[in-house]
Amino acid sequence: MVEDQKLSWQAVRDQIRGDILNRIYGLGDKLPKDAEIAVRLGCARGTVQRAMQDLSDAGLIERRRKGGSHVRAQPIVRATLDIPVTRREIESRGERYGYHLLGREPVPTPRHVMKKFGLTDTVPSLRVQCVHSADGHPHSYEDRWIFTDTVPEIRDIDLSVVSANEWLVAHRPYSGFDMSFYAISADAQLAQHLDVPRGASLLVIERRTWFDDKPITLVQSYNRPGYQLTASNPR
Amino acid sequence: MVEDQKLSWQAVRDQIRGDILNRIYGLGDKLPKDAEIAVRLGCARGTVQRAMQDLSDAGLIERRRKGGSHVRAQPIVRATLDIPVTRREIESRGERYGYHLLGREPVPTPRHVMKKFGLTDTVPSLRVQCVHSADGHPHSYEDRWIFTDTVPEIRDIDLSVVSANEWLVAHRPYSGFDMSFYAISADAQLAQHLDVPRGASLLVIERRTWFDDKPITLVQSYNRPGYQLTASNPR
DNA sequence: TAGTGGTCTAGACCACCGG
DNA sequence: CGGTGGTCTAGACCACTAT
C-alpha cells in the first residue's frame, strides 16, 4: 500500500491482471485472499471483490468460497460477439438495404427442427424464407421456422414489408438463445438466391431463441462468400 | 415495495429484465432512475446500480449520466464464445488428440500479415504449420505467424512435440486479441491435409493476439467440414 | 449547473465448501 | 466448523452530460 489516491475497482482489476500476465502469478497459482489484497493495495474489500468478479467473468481466474481464487490452469479464449439486426448491419456500412420475401407457409414443424428444441409432439410452425440484400446484391439467405403456438400473432403479419427478423425483435422479446456457426457448400437453390456459383462456401449462422422454455424460432442465415463475423475480448 | 426479504442484485436484475421482456418498458423507453427503483423495490441504491450495470453489459439497456437508463432502441444479439485449446476440445469429447508439425520456417513477415497488425516496417516472424487430429482423423489445419521480435524464445522451442498454440498460452500471455470467422473452399493443399475433397467448405477461425500493442501471433485455423462453433448468452 | 449514474468505504451477515 | 467469497446497506463524494 503506497497510494494516497483512491483506487477504482478497474484499477485494482488491471493491477491483478497485470500480475497474472507478467507471470507473477502463473497458471493455476493461488491468489491472495481478497481481504489481503485490499490491505496490500489500501482499499476496501468490496473494491477488490468487484475487480475479482470481473476477472472471473472474463475467464481469467476461478473463484470458490473457502477455496480462494486461482489463475485458470487451462486457459480459455473468451470473446464477445455482437450481432446487429441485418438491416442495421448493412445500413451502418452505408449501403442500401433490400429485403425480398421468398416463401411463407404454415407447416407441421419438421423432425430435424423439433429435435433442436428437444420437442417430441408435433407442433405447427410458420416457415419463412427471404433474402437480404445490400446495394442490390444478395447478402444473405434466411430460412426460418417460427413456432405459432408461442407466437400466434405472426400469422397475421404481412412479412413482405417487414422481415420476420425485425418484427420479432420489436414484438416478441426472448429470454434466451444460442447460436452456432459452420461452413457449408451452396447447393443449386442457395447458389441461385445468393447469385454465386454452386459449391461456393457459405458461412451459416444458426440461432435458436425461446421465451421461458417455449421455443420461438429457429433461423439459419446463409451468408455470401467473403462474409466475416468478428469478435473481440471485452475491455 | 412489498418485500421483507433482502433482494439480491441478481433478483433486481431479473425483475427489471422481466419488465423489459414483458414490454412494461418498450424499446427505447426511459427507465426510472436507480434511486427510484431502489425505493420502489425496497433495497439500497447500490444494489440497483449493480443490477443495471449487468443489464448494460448484456446489451439490453444503455445508461448515461444525467441522461438516465433506456431500453436499447436497436436491439443487438450479444453472445459469449469460449474457445478452448484444441487439445482440450478434442480430449473433452473423449477422443484421442494427435498433433503433426508440417512446417517451421523463419521468414520475413509477408505483407498481408503485417497489414492485419497495421505494421509498415518489415519484421521477422516464424511461420508454423501443423495439423491437429482427433482419433487419427484430421481435425484442423493451422497456419501461424509468430513475431520473433516479440517472442524471441520461440526460436529455440521444439515445436514437433508441443504445439505453438500450447507453448504460447503457457509461456506468452496476451493482453488483447480479436477473432474473425468466415467460410472458404479447400484448395488442393488444404484438401490433402484435411483429407477432404477439393472445394469442400471449411470454417476458418482467424485470431490476432498482442501484448501491449506488440504483435504476438496471427493464426488461421481451417476446420474440417461439419465443424461447429457455438455461442450462447451469458446467464 | 443541476441531475443522474459510478464508485468508495466500513461494517455486517450470509453461503458455500475444504480440511 | 472455520475460512473465504458474495452481498447488502447507508452515506458520501465524484464524473459526466443534458438542459
Side-chain angles (χ1 to χ4, degrees), chain B residues 17-212:
Chain B
R17 178 168 41 188
D19 286 351
I20 294 173
L21 297 187
N22 292 317
R23 293 295 147 94
I24 291 174
Y25 302 110
L27 297 186
D29 282 3
K30 180 170 190 164
L31 296 164
K33 57 179 154 192
D34 293 8
E36 188 180 325
I37 296 177
V39 171
R40 211 184 283 181
L41 298 180
C43 66
R45 185 170 74 93
T47 306
V48 175
Q49 150 71 24
R50 186 67 183 80
M52 299 295 268
Q53 193 167 59
D54 195 62
L55 291 172
S56 178
D57 285 346
L60 202 60
I61 68 172
E62 286 175 320
R63 280 157 77 73
R64 276 183 320 255
R65 286 161 148 129
K66 168 82 180 182
S69 306
H70 293 258
V71 180
R72 263 193 127 90
Q74 304 288 353
I76 57 174
V77 176
R78 179 166 294 172
T80 298
L81 198 58
D82 281 355
I83 300 189
V85 171
T86 307
R87 171 202 288 276
R88 269 180 63 79
E89 179 180 3
I90 290 172
E91 289 178 344
S92 70
R93 287 201 304 264
E95 298 171 353
R96 181 172 45 84
Y97 172 75
Y99 165 75
H100 183 55
L101 180 65
L102 295 170
R104 179 196 175 287
E105 183 189 14
V107 294
T109 310
R111 211 47 90 63
H112 71 276
V113 173
M114 303 207 353
K115 208 170 158 192
K116 288 181 190 280
F117 284 94
L119 299 175
T120 49
D121 299 336
T122 307
V123 293
S125 60
L126 184 70
R127 183 177 186 186
V128 179
Q129 292 138 311
C130 69
V131 167
H132 301 276
S133 61
D135 279 347
H137 303 292
H139 170 272
S140 59
Y141 170 84
E142 193 180 297
D143 199 0
R144 180 189 291 268
W145 284 266
I146 305 169
F147 292 86
T148 39
D149 279 356
T150 312
V151 197
E153 318 92 290
I154 193 70
R155 290 176 302 205
D156 304 321
I157 307 298
D158 180 2
L159 294 176
S160 63
V161 274
V162 195
S163 76
N165 191 353
E166 293 194 57
W167 188 88
L168 284 170
V169 298
H171 299 89
R172 200 79 279 222
Y174 52 83
S175 59
F177 71 90
D178 63 16
M179 317 179 61
S180 61
F181 316 98
Y182 51 93
I184 209 178
S185 290
D187 59 21
Q189 192 196 17
L190 282 170
Q192 187 201 330
H193 290 314
L194 290 174
D195 191 23
V196 297
R198 276 196 55 176
S201 288
L202 311 177
L203 177 66
V204 187
I205 304 176
E206 182 174 308
R207 182 156 84 233
R208 300 184 296 171
T209 69
W210 56 84
F211 193 101
D212 288 348

Side-chain angles (χ1 to χ4, degrees), chain A residues 21 23 50 53 74 77-79 81-83 88 170 173 177 179-182 184-185 201 229-231 233, chain B residues 21 23 50 53 74 77-79 81-83 88 170 173 177 179-181 184-185 201 227 229-231 233:
Chain A
L21 296 186
R23 293 295 149 94
R50 186 68 184 80
Q53 194 168 57
Q74 303 287 354
V77 176
R78 178 168 294 173
L81 200 57
D82 281 355
I83 301 190
R88 269 180 62 79
F177 70 91
M179 319 180 61
S180 61
F181 315 98
Y182 50 94
I184 209 177
S185 289
S201 289
L229 259 184
T230 66
N233 60 337
Chain B
L21 297 187
R23 293 295 147 94
R50 186 67 183 80
Q53 193 167 59
Q74 304 288 353
V77 176
R78 179 166 294 172
L81 198 58
D82 281 355
I83 300 189
R88 269 180 63 79
F177 71 90
M179 317 179 61
S180 61
F181 316 98
I184 209 178
S185 290
S201 288
Y227 181 78
L229 259 184
T230 66
N233 61 338

